[in-house]
Amino acid sequence: MPVSHPQAVAEAGISGRIPFDNTYAALPERFFQRVEPTPVAAPRLIALNDALAEALGLDPEFLKSPEGVAILAGNRIAEGSAPLAQAYAGHQFGNFVPQLGDGRAVLLGEVLAPSGERFDIQLKGSGPTRFSRRGDGRAALGPVIREYIVSEAMAALGLPTTRSLAAVTSGEQVVRERMLPGGVLTRVASSHLRVGTFEYFAAREDIEGLRLLADYAISRHYPDAAEAADPYLALFEGVAARLADLVARWMQIGFIHGVLNTDNTSIAGETIDYGPCAFMDAYHPRKVFSSIDRQGRYAYQNQPGIMKWNLARLGECLLPLFSGERDAALAKANDVLGTFGTGYKAAYLAGFRRKLGLFDAHADDEALIGDLLARMAEGGADFTLTFRALSELAGGTATDDSVRDLFSDKASYDAWAFVWRERLSREPRTPQERSAAMKAVNPKYIPRNHRVEAAIAAAELGQCDLFDELNRVLARPYDDQPAFDRYCAPPQPEEEVTQTFCGT
Ligand code: AMP
Ligand code: MG
């Protein structure tokens, strides 16, 4: 029995500056490639997320030190890190690709936060791996900044998401349509398990690998499922519930993921892989931003259906693990798919009720919500401003004109508002109470595309002030921040961003 020396433990705590506690690296070697990040020429830290570092139990000052920055750039391997690139497959735009994997990312390892939660720490843009195919393994600075801003905004909005711990410029150029400055993002996630990770093993008919992966996912994300009569079915149910809730949350804030492939669908139920994502300005259900999404497969209104499609792919992978005969297992899997639809609808309605200041549930709420959205689409109303202005209106701190002016057809808004007011009168609340409840779910500040693009353009020229300021404003999306009111405004016609690029 080894004797524990308190002093030795304390010393180990200090020398292991990032207290890695790795579990994925203990899975069989076919789950990943052990590979170190490729060093970059001249790393410079442009953002460090102090609050996140502290929540993870990491010392922000250490991460900002030359040694810390070297780790965040991939130029130095931290003690305790067991770097690896994860294997996964995926359906990209509906087409199955049996091998994708981390082609430009390396998992440094996991840490246990003081909260007891386990998190992956991953570098993105850290050089080639066995999974790079024809890619260079690098990331341009633009997409690094976009992911940093949008993922942190999502966290502040209260949505499940991966986080951004740091961004570094590499001092190297990457070749895209043109030469661009390179960057490395340090991403934090509950895990990087994807629907595509399951597809990787299923495609190889590696049932043992599949079972190990499912057991790992259960112990890491769905521990209650281990106690269920059929743990793998319970895992599937758990993922279905989280993904239904997640996509309902996206719909409520006007978020369009942009590349909702199965490899970009997290088993933990977090928003992951921010590429050509966007928040809508003017509402339209068919809105698409991604330059590569020519058919609009991942348009705003298609997201719930696509998420269910992705979930069905997971169900197919898990089928051999479900208990009972194949037909019975298939029926159970289909029942779970059905729960996605009901869970999504319940979350969607509950969320939009809150956005409209409704406290009780009525049968005609769905029609009221749908009617507003239809009129917003027709009238070109800004999604975020409409709901925020309604929140002010309900509190008596704004007039009808502030909402009406957002619609090209003012009478169309008036007709809806008449019904809304009648509905509100059926559940009297004080204006203050109603307005406060609405403002807590209707953000004032979102990462508007033109602001994100401006922050990227400045950072590419070495100016990070806009990036910093945007992060600061978006950290408190529901609060009135009068000094930053300009960040509420939709783009001027000449500022409008109509396309986003994944920049890979
Ligand atoms: P994404 O579009 O980011 O979801 O990536 C899809 C796949 O392409 C993943 O397997 C990535 O690792 C890979 N990939 C994307 N960009 C690069 C790159 N620059 N170098 C190598 N692999 C990449
Ligand atoms: Mg991806």
Side-chain angles (χ1 to χ4, degrees):
M1 192 67 185
V3 183
S4 127
H5 297 284
Q7 205 187 341
V9 172
E11 271 168 16
I14 289 162
S15 65
R17 301 306 254 295
I18 302 179
F20 284 108
D21 181 81
N22 304 328
T23 59
Y24 204 82
L27 288 167
E29 295 288 323
R30 66 187 188 283
F31 278 62
F32 47 75
Q33 176 199 12
R34 292 191 193 276
V35 56
E36 294 191 355
T38 307
V40 299
R44 192 168 69 85
L45 186 70
I46 57 165
L48 187 93
N49 191 334
D50 285 66
L52 179 59
E54 278 160 18
L56 291 170
L58 307 179
D59 175 7
E61 296 315 313
F62 166 68
L63 294 174
K64 290 175 197 171
S65 72
E67 187 187 346
V69 175
I71 291 168
L72 299 172
N75 285 19
R76 184 180 176 134
I77 306 301
E79 200 185 314
S81 168
L84 58 86
Q86 292 179 321
Y88 55 85
H91 278 85
Q92 297 187 307
F93 290 91
N95 303 309
F96 186 60
V97 184
Q99 179 165 304
L100 290 165
D102 288 333
R104 54 164 165 171
V106 165
L107 176 67
L108 296 182
E110 299 144 42
V111 294
L112 278 172
S115 65
E117 294 164 287
R118 177 177 296 278
F119 291 99
D120 277 7
I121 300 188
Q122 189 205 59
L123 298 185
K124 195 168 169 184
S126 51
T129 73
R130 196 216 294 158
F131 307 111
S132 297
R133 293 172 292 165
R134 284 181 299 279
D136 59 2
R138 293 301 186 189
L141 182 60
V144 166
I145 288 185
R146 177 188 292 280
E147 175 153 356
Y148 193 110
I149 293 170
V150 183
S151 69
E152 284 306 301
M154 292 285 267
L157 286 162
L159 275 83
T161 178
T162 63
R163 305 286 306 267
S164 295
L165 179 62
V168 167
T169 52
S170 63
E172 295 175 2
Q173 300 273 303
V174 296
V175 186
R176 297 295 181 259
E177 293 89 45
R178 57 190 170 101
M179 299 290 275
L180 292 167
V184 180
L185 181 79
T186 305
R187 176 159 77 177
V188 174
S190 287
S191 84
H192 287 82
L193 299 181
R194 305 149 189 274
V195 169
T197 319
F198 286 83
E199 291 180 291
Y200 180 87
F201 294 100
R204 283 157 185 76
E205 295 179 36
D206 179 353
I207 304 298
E208 189 205 298
L210 204 55
R211 193 180 300 276
L212 283 169
L213 179 64
D215 289 340
Y216 183 84
I218 288 171
S219 77
R220 193 155 170 186
H221 300 301
Y222 301 91
D224 292 349
E227 313 301 323
D230 184 343
Y232 304 114
L233 191 69
L235 165 67
F236 189 39
E237 278 166 355
V239 177
R242 283 196 205 169
L243 291 180
D245 189 59
L246 178 67
V247 73
R249 302 288 303 270
W250 291 351
M251 302 305 272
Q252 287 158 41
I253 53 160
F255 177 77
I256 301 161
H257 181 284
V259 220
L260 199 45
N261 294 332
T262 56
D263 51 304
N264 296 336
T265 302
S266 158
I267 295 298
E270 292 180 336
T271 314
I272 194 171
D273 277 10
Y274 291 84
C277 59
F279 280 73
M280 282 191 274
D281 295 303
Y283 172 74
H284 200 286
R286 287 197 300 276
K287 203 73 119 190
V288 178
F289 288 90
S290 168
S291 63
I292 53 172
D293 190 5
R294 294 198 187 86
Q295 313 286 326
R297 178 182 171 90
Y298 299 137
Y300 172 81
Q301 70 176 3
N302 291 351
Q303 296 183 117
I306 287 291
M307 199 61 111
K308 186 174 176 184
W309 191 89
N310 292 350
L311 190 66
R313 305 289 77 76
L314 176 66
E316 286 167 357
C317 295
L318 292 175
L319 218 45
L321 302 185
F322 295 155
S323 64
E325 296 291 315
R326 196 179 160 87
D327 284 354
L330 195 58
K332 281 188 274 186
N334 273 312
D335 287 346
V336 175
L337 274 183
T339 68
F340 176 90
T342 44
Y344 168 74
K345 186 153 183 200
Y348 178 90
L349 284 177
F352 272 95
R353 274 193 193 103
R354 280 193 293 272
K355 288 177 79 69
L356 291 180
L358 307 177
F359 289 78
D360 309 328
H362 285 248
D364 45 7
D365 294 345
E366 190 176 355
L368 184 71
I369 295 161
D371 187 35
L372 172 64
L373 291 171
R375 288 167 196 266
M376 285 167 64
E378 221 174 81
D382 184 89
F383 185 83
T384 306
L385 288 183
T386 300
F387 287 102
R388 188 71 179 190
L390 286 172
S391 318
E392 298 285 358
L393 179 61
T397 46
T399 61
D400 260 305
D401 273 345
S402 64
V403 199
R404 192 183 283 131
D405 287 349
L406 300 169
F407 290 73
S408 60
D409 179 356
K410 322 283 177 216
S412 168
Y413 161 73
D414 287 338
W416 176 83
F418 181 82
V419 181
W420 178 54
R421 284 212 168 82
E422 195 278 318
R423 171 69 177 80
L424 292 185
S425 70
R426 282 193 262 162
E427 43 175 81
R429 303 271 161 163
T430 66
Q432 292 75 13
E433 186 187 1
R434 175 161 276 136
S435 179
M438 290 175 76
K439 285 166 93 171
V441 294
N442 292 323
K444 184 160 181 179
Y445 308 96
I446 52 155
R448 291 191 184 267
N449 303 316
H450 65 298
R451 293 288 180 185
V452 176
E453 294 300 337
I456 290 172
E460 285 177 344
L461 298 172
Q463 283 296 330
C464 289
D465 305 12
L466 284 179
F467 175 37
D468 295 343
E469 187 168 87
L470 197 48
N471 285 327
R472 228 176 10 258
V473 177
L474 295 173
R476 293 166 49 213
Y478 299 106
D479 295 351
D480 289 312
Q481 303 177 62
F484 293 119
D485 268 358
R486 63 188 179 284
Y487 281 98
C488 308
Q492 296 295 317
E494 71 279 8
E495 291 174 321
E496 199 182 336
V497 175
T498 54
Q499 265 199 337
T500 51
F501 302 88
C502 47
T504 50

